[in-house]
Amino acid sequence: MAIKIFFPTSCSAAENGLLIGRWLEEHRSAVILATLQFPFIPANVKEYLGQLEQVTGMSLSVLGTWSHSKAEADEKMENFLGELSRIFRHSPWLRMARESTSKFWDCRIERLEDGASEDVVLVYYDQMKVMLSELHSASEHSEIAAMFNTVAKNQLLFANDKYDEGPVKLTHWQSEGMEASIIVELMKQASVPVCAVLSFFVAVITAICSLRVLSGKPLSFLWNKLSTCEQLGKRLENLHVISRPEKAPDHPAFMRKASIVLSLLIDVVLGVVLMSWLYQGNRLGQLANALMPVADRVALELQGLLQWLMGAPAGLKMNRALDEVLGRFFMYHIHLWISYIRLMSPFIEVILWYIGLSACLGLSVALSILSDIIALLTFHIYCFYVYGARLYCLKMHGLSSLWRLFRGKKWNVLRQRVDSCSYDLDQLFLGTLLFTILLFLLPTTALYYLVFTLLRLIIIVVQGVIQMTIDLLSTVPFYALLLRLCRSYRLAAGVKFQMLEQKSGKPLRLLMQVNINPLPYGQVLETYRLPSRRCYPKDSWGSLCKKLFFGEVIYPWKQKKNKQQ
């Protein structure tokens, strides 16, 4: 079995010294993290590695020596490096040196447990990309995952550059200076007071919302029905997540926090753009003036539809008395709705003006308000649908119950099943009479139910499109997509190895490439998608058609968990 040595390309130009890294016993491989430069004190080196182990929870060791000599071998240096192997008693012991006839490095392994020589595979890797990458496809206990985990968890080792004062001088991927920018540093400095202000703001809002007056029965019922209140509650939760001063404990928590911040920024920017567009050219006044003609047109169309149903729709012969009662009942609701719209018409422009200001909270809040406005303006259609559905469902249940009566069966309420039952002559006569009445009244009721169900489904589809747009703004991981687009190596689906050199009697040289195999966009969305407070109905198309056939009320496009809208 070959021994793999993962060597960082950033250490190729390092001077003579020691190899600092971790030995993976279960995989028989070594991960080199840095080279230790001369001069140093062995006791200080051991103390420094012990401090790193206490912080990172991962033991580092001196794995071997590093020699930068080329053509001429320095005998004193070789003797000195040989003496170091007696001070740092690690097994196996690596001795790496540059070859005089090659641009690559040679490696020898000493102090193997069985004493036999083994093949060596020298794998070069980009320490910066491995440090910042998150490997997704590798198994948790695989060799590549252990190597990535070793480099990522020893971030503290890369915190000091060669100009810092310390007990040791290391060479690694940040030896020439810490990577940073003025903007990033200013954002880090400003994040602490911003998080404090956000935390105070969230605490005040949460305390107000938890008041008994607002959380009482009538208002709590209203808050649960309004899409705007639900969206504001979700944004309040997001602010609570990003206002926490503590650092994200792991990579998924950091990605979620960063995606929430970017999602809020994009949402607010789009909302401000929408608000500036609405307030230019008196578009709000034009919209308010256009609402009344549209409302009158909808009322006229509904009245025409009801008059058509009260006649002979499509040449069908309906029950005249029931048709007249249902038509007048629904026509009365239309008159009430028109009176309500006429009463609100002087205040529509003012209401729209204040609603337009809410767009500064985000485009999702503006879309939630639009969804609630559609629900309020079409409340009469919802009432028509519920009336028709309940009446149709009552008749369908009555017909199914009476049909079991003819077959000598009944529904057992206690055991929730159909059992056999014997009926006398009076029960059969009364059942036959009721079945006939319900059967001949069913076409009239079914026609009204069908028409208003179609209208209701159109409104549900419109609200569903709006809610899907809101969820798109709230759940899409924009930060993860941005990383995948700009720095694909940060989200790696795997690694690929390129052969550099293979000679008999020499170590096999490979180059590990991270950015050549990035995570697909679909998997990025699936892995880092933000959680949503809404859930899709579990019903299939067959179940939906069954509910429509039996007259069960179809609730809005999305439903809250454990609650019906």
Side-chain angles (χ1 to χ4, degrees), residues 254-310:
F254 168 75
M255 294 296 291
R256 180 191 177 192
K257 203 169 186 178
S259 295
I260 288 175
V261 172
L262 195 56
S263 174
L264 286 174
L265 290 177
I266 292 176
D267 191 19
V268 172
V269 169
L270 292 176
V272 172
V273 171
L274 175 63
M275 183 178 64
S276 62
W277 180 82
L278 287 175
Y279 285 98
Q280 288 179 358
N282 195 25
R283 290 188 175 92
L284 283 176
Q286 298 174 5
L287 181 61
N289 295 330
L291 281 179
M292 290 306 301
V294 171
D296 293 338
R297 181 63 182 271
V298 171
L300 290 176
E301 293 293 337
L302 286 176
Q303 287 178 349
L305 178 63
L306 288 175
Q307 291 174 359
W308 178 71
L309 291 176
M310 292 171 65

Side-chain angles (χ1 to χ4, degrees), residues 227-228 274 287 291 352 355 358 363-377 462-463 466-467 470:
S227 178
T228 305
L274 175 63
L287 181 61
L291 281 179
L352 290 178
I355 289 176
S358 64
L363 181 61
S364 60
V365 176
L367 291 177
S368 299
I369 294 176
L370 177 62
S371 178
D372 292 334
I373 290 175
I374 292 176
L376 292 175
L377 293 179
V462 173
Q463 289 183 307
I466 295 175
Q467 294 297 339
I470 295 173

